[in-house]
Every structure is written in structure tokens, then in C-alpha cells.
Amino acid sequence: MQFFATGKESLVAAALEASMRSVRLCGANTTTFDLEEHQRWCAEAVKDRVVLKVSTPEARGTYLQKHTTFLVTQELHQEGVRRRFRDFEWLRVVLHARYVGLLVPSLPEKTTTAAVMKTDAFMQSRMRGLQRFLNDIMRCPYLRSDAAVESFLGEPGDEATWEAMRKRTAVMDNAGEGHMRWLQRIMCEHIANSPEKEISVFKRHVEQRERLLSELAACAKRLADKSAAMAKDVSTLHAIFAGWQLSETGTGTFEARNDGPLVTLLDKSTATICGWSQVQSFQPAIYELLLLENIKYMLHQTVAMKQMLVERERAVAGESLAERKSFPPPSELPVSPPISGFSVASFTSAASSAASRFMSAVEPPSLSIEEQQRRTHHTNELITRALMAEEIQRFRTGTTVELENIMNHFSCAEAQLSKRSGSVWREYLKTSPADTEILVQRTKELLDSATTNCSLPSPSAADAF
């Protein structure tokens, strides 16, 4: 690991070198590549459905360095492995660096706010996000057989054993059949003389989609918050009705008033409001789980695709993918006041010499221009080939499938909730002495009257009748 680089930066740099070796490794097999056979392999690779579950959070570590681990198990299996959030981050970094040009599934948002992390709602949301991350990996024919994925899911040893396994599987020239298949697929893709126009149009679509999904996520968040407030108010309404009922029946410390018709009506009204409160209590979860979290995931994937396109643009422009930190020259070093027995010149010269020896020991020399060009060309070529081979189409298809799933589940939940809500009110009306047709007409007239004095045309609540 480089002294002045983070672990992630070092891992990405090493993975880039491994990726270039991998391309050379699979180059000999590209002449015999068969697209139809490859598509059959992809279908066969994901034929067996694997469902992973993330559950049972457990706090570990010392008082000052506590962390949470999660149990990762396969469906219908009790035994599994424990992983912390940074292990999931490691897995995504490895896959992203190894499969250059492939849109890797996204992780849930990371937060460092202790108060938020301690809440049950946050922990449940994080587990759902981590679970989706793993299951999306298992649905990708290239990623599910990767050596890092297999190590992540299959190494139940202690922390030291798992750390050693991570180092062995992080940077590999051949990380499994899926890895080689991915490289063969994109390296055999025929690229037009100038794919820039198509990629440029696609980038504009991605940017537009990012903006729209950001607005949708913000709107869904407001709906979730307002529905939670609504559920709380309806629950309070039920409590008030229940208190009124107690005051009229003389239960507890209240004095009985023996008003039979009112007590009967309060019994029926309180039961109805109770049913309504139960229905409303489900609404926040529907907005949160079925709408907000899924839209946010689509947004995260869109942002990841945009970042990939930006990375390609940087590679095209010849920019370095890894940041380099240079030691300040002696002229920029702070000059200390003269000290007895030392001159400023001799002190600066000694410091510069020591710094040079230190830098040569801990920081590798800067990349040559040829090496920079080789790396940027490799990144540009793989991302371009991946986009033209599969990723543009897969991104578009995936967005359609994801939106359809969101609307299907959301519509189903809302329909069931409306059905249950309607049954609550219909049950009340069954016991009402009022004539139903007359009641509907008078209710419609009341709602119509709310818009008669409006200067601007607006939809009437009576339109629902």
C-alpha cells in the first residue's frame, strides 16, 4: 500500500494493473468467441435462483471502536457469515475495479451520524439495502462466480482469516469464469469508427434521468414524512374518541351519563376510527419501502453510470485516474528561526536531503508519460467497449424493469390498502339509518359548495363520486 494513498486508491491502482494483465490473458481466446454460446452461458449461469438474506445486526468491538456486523445467509439456510459494512464496501470496490465498464450494483447510503445509526429504522433500511446489493450481484452472470464474491459468502473464519482471504482475492488476473467471459465479450465487440455521438446522447439521457429521479426521491420522501404525520394524527383522533367514549359510559374515573343513543354511536364511531387508524399505520411503510427506497436505488445506479461516463471522458482526455501527492520543494518549506549552532542554509539542506531519502523509501516514483497513456487507453477502451456491447442497453432495460416492478408492487399495496380502508367505512354505513342515495347526494352537494366561491377553476372533491 502506498504511504500517501488510502487503501481504496491502492486497491484500485493494483486492480487496474491486474485488469490490463487479464485482457492480455484472455486475448488468445477472443478469436474463437461465439456470441450465441456466450448468451446461453449467461442464461445457464443465473438459472439457479440464489436468494441471500442480511439480518441479525450485532455490535462488536471495544467501547471506543464499536462496529456492527450482519449475518449473511442463503435462503433456507441457518448458518452464514458475519460481515460489517466496510466488508460490503470492499466487495463493491473490488468488483468495480475488476470489471471496468460494468455497472456494479449500488450500496445503501453511508452515514456517520451516531444518533441516526442507532435507530431501528436506519438499521432495517441498511439491511434491506445490503441484501439487495448481494442479490443483484447473484443475478449477474459475470459477478456471481467471482472469486471475491465466493470468498465474501464462503469464508466464515475469524477476522484475521477473513483479512488474509480479502488480500488474496482482491487483485487477480483471473477471478473466475465470469471474469474471463466478461472480458471476452467486450473485447470482441465491434466498435464503430466514432461511437462518441451515441455515447454523448446516452450521457445526456443519463443526466436528465438523474435530475428526474432526484425530484422523484425528494417527492417520495415528503410523501413518506407526511403519511407518517397523518398516521400519528389519526391515531391521536382514535385516542380522543376512545376518551370521549369512556367519559360517556362512566368507565374508570368518569361519571356515567346514561345517554344510550350517544354511547351507541360513540361505540360504533370509535371502532370505525380505530380501523381507519390501523389502515393509515401501513401507509408510511408503503411509501418508504416500495416507493422511496426503490427510487433511491435507481438514482444511485444512475449516478454510478454517470460517474463511469465521466471516468471515460477523463481517460479520453488523458487525465490520470489516481491522484498523486508530491512533496513540497525546499523553497516552499517553512523556514524556522536561526538556532544556535545551526545555519538556516545547512538546516534547509539537511531537511531536503532527509525528505528526499524518506520519499524514495515510501512513495513510488511518478508514472511515466507512456505508462499514463497506457492506463488511460486501457480504461477508455474497456468502458467504450462495455457501453457499446451491453451496458447502454442493459441500463435502459434495467430502468424499465425496475420502474415496472416499483409500480406493480406500489399499485398492489395501495389497492389492498384502499380495499381495507373502504371496508372500514362501508361497515359503518351498513349500520347507519340514513338512506344511502340521499346521503351520497347531500355529501356531493357539500363538497361542491367548497368550490363555488373560487375565482379560479379547480377540481372539486365531489368529482370522486
Side-chain angles (χ1 to χ4, degrees):
M1 181 180 295
Q2 298 180 18
F3 186 83
F4 286 100
T6 65
K8 179 179 177 180
E9 291 170 340
S10 297
L11 178 59
V12 171
L16 184 62
E17 288 292 333
S19 177
M20 289 187 281
R21 294 193 298 269
S22 300
V23 170
R24 293 193 294 269
L25 185 65
C26 76
N29 299 324
T30 56
T31 55
T32 59
F33 181 79
D34 185 343
L35 181 58
E36 292 185 358
E37 186 276 333
H38 175 80
Q39 292 172 341
R40 288 194 297 270
W41 175 87
C42 289
E44 186 69 21
V46 295
K47 182 180 67 174
D48 296 331
R49 184 170 177 264
V50 176
V51 179
L52 300 174
K53 183 179 180 181
V54 178
S55 62
T56 322
E58 181 180 292
R60 292 186 176 183
T62 62
Y63 177 77
L64 296 177
Q65 293 183 329
K66 281 189 176 181
H67 62 270
T68 302
T69 64
F70 303 94
L71 181 64
V72 180
T73 57
Q74 189 173 337
E75 192 177 43
L76 304 179
H77 290 71
Q78 296 296 327
E79 296 183 356
V81 294
R82 284 209 160 267
R83 297 289 181 255
R84 55 189 299 185
F85 186 80
R86 75 175 186 183
D87 295 328
F88 288 85
E89 286 185 305
W90 167 85
L91 179 60
R92 191 182 189 282
V93 169
V94 168
L95 296 178
H96 176 74
R98 180 174 290 159
Y99 296 83
V100 180
L102 178 68
L103 186 62
V104 178
S106 299
L107 284 170
E109 295 172 325
K110 185 175 183 178
T111 181
T112 57
T113 307
V116 174
M117 295 177 67
K118 291 180 180 179
T119 62
D120 183 65
F122 169 79
M123 197 60 66
Q124 293 294 329
S125 177
R126 168 163 284 190
M127 287 191 294
R128 288 192 297 269
L130 296 176
Q131 184 169 296
R132 174 162 192 171
F133 167 72
L134 292 179
N135 284 317
D136 281 357
I137 286 177
M138 301 311 293
R139 282 190 283 269
C140 177
Y142 307 116
L143 301 180
R144 70 182 296 170
S145 62
D146 187 89
V149 175
E150 293 180 349
S151 298
F152 181 92
L153 298 175
E155 180 49 62
D158 56 19
E159 186 67 24
T161 306
W162 166 231
E163 182 67 25
M165 182 64 74
R166 290 202 309 176
K167 291 180 179 179
R168 285 199 299 270
T169 58
V171 181
M172 303 177 71
D173 296 354
N174 184 346
E177 185 178 6
H179 184 207
M180 292 294 102
R181 287 272 187 173
W182 164 252
L183 290 175
Q184 291 171 13
R185 172 67 184 94
I186 63 176
M187 294 308 296
C188 290
E189 180 67 15
H190 174 70
I191 303 297
N193 292 332
S194 181
E196 298 301 322
K197 182 177 180 180
E198 182 175 352
I199 294 178
S200 178
V201 171
F202 175 65
K203 184 173 184 288
R204 289 197 296 271
H205 289 168
V206 170
E207 292 171 342
Q208 181 185 39
R209 190 168 298 170
E210 179 190 13
R211 177 180 58 80
L212 294 172
L213 287 173
S214 297
E215 294 175 358
L216 280 175
C219 182
K221 181 66 168 64
R222 291 193 297 270
L223 284 172
D225 292 342
K226 290 179 179 179
S227 66
M230 175 72 171
K232 183 178 179 180
D233 287 341
V234 175
S235 178
T236 302
L237 184 67
H238 170 240
I240 295 172
F241 263 92
W244 188 2
Q245 180 190 28
L246 290 176
S247 69
E248 295 294 338
T249 58
T251 306
T253 60
F254 297 102
E255 181 181 352
R257 299 181 184 177
N258 297 321
D259 191 344
L262 178 59
V263 169
T264 302
L265 180 59
L266 281 172
D267 287 343
K268 186 173 66 172
S269 300
T270 303
T272 301
I273 299 300
C274 178
W276 183 32
S277 177
Q278 291 176 353
V279 171
Q280 288 296 319
S281 67
F282 297 121
Q283 189 68 71
I286 292 176
Y287 285 133
E288 183 78 27
L289 273 64
L290 301 184
L291 198 61
L292 178 58
E293 288 190 1
N294 289 323
I295 290 176
K296 286 172 65 176
Y297 185 82
M298 290 179 66
L299 176 60
H300 293 161
Q301 286 282 272
T302 303
V303 171
M305 176 57 77
K306 179 183 174 181
Q307 291 173 345
M308 184 194 300
L309 294 170
V310 171
E311 184 180 4
R312 177 184 175 274
E313 289 179 348
R314 290 175 178 171
V316 171
E319 297 181 6
S320 177
L321 297 178
E323 294 182 358
R324 299 192 303 272
K325 296 183 179 180
S326 59
F327 195 85
S331 60
E332 297 180 9
L333 290 173
V335 179
S336 303
I339 303 176
S340 177
F342 290 88
S343 67
V344 174
S346 62
F347 178 78
T348 304
S349 176
S352 177
S353 177
S356 299
R357 292 194 302 271
F358 178 72
M359 289 296 296
S360 63
V362 300
E363 188 175 64
S366 300
L367 296 175
S368 65
I369 295 178
E370 292 77 9
E371 182 62 22
Q372 292 181 37
Q373 291 176 342
R374 190 169 69 91
R375 289 189 174 191
T376 54
H377 174 74
H378 173 80
T379 302
N380 174 31
E381 182 179 21
L382 261 62
I383 294 179
T384 302
R385 287 182 174 276
L387 289 171
M388 304 307 294
E390 290 188 0
E391 290 306 282
I392 289 180
Q393 183 59 39
R394 190 167 73 92
F395 180 78
R396 289 170 173 164
T397 303
T399 302
T400 303
V401 172
E402 182 65 27
L403 182 58
E404 184 177 22
N405 285 336
I406 291 175
M407 290 306 301
N408 285 345
H409 292 302
F410 184 67
S411 300
C412 179
E414 287 294 331
Q416 293 299 316
L417 202 63
S418 299
K419 181 179 178 181
R420 184 167 178 175
S421 177
S423 66
V424 170
W425 303 115
R426 282 191 295 271
E427 191 65 28
Y428 178 88
L429 292 175
K430 283 181 182 179
T431 60
S432 175
D435 182 88
T436 303
E437 293 184 2
I438 296 176
L439 181 62
V440 169
Q441 182 61 33
R442 289 181 177 176
T443 304
K444 187 176 184 299
E445 291 173 357
L446 287 172
L447 294 174
D448 273 332
S449 66
T451 59
T452 55
N453 297 324
C454 295
S455 58
L456 296 176
S458 60
S460 170
D463 293 340
F465 284 77

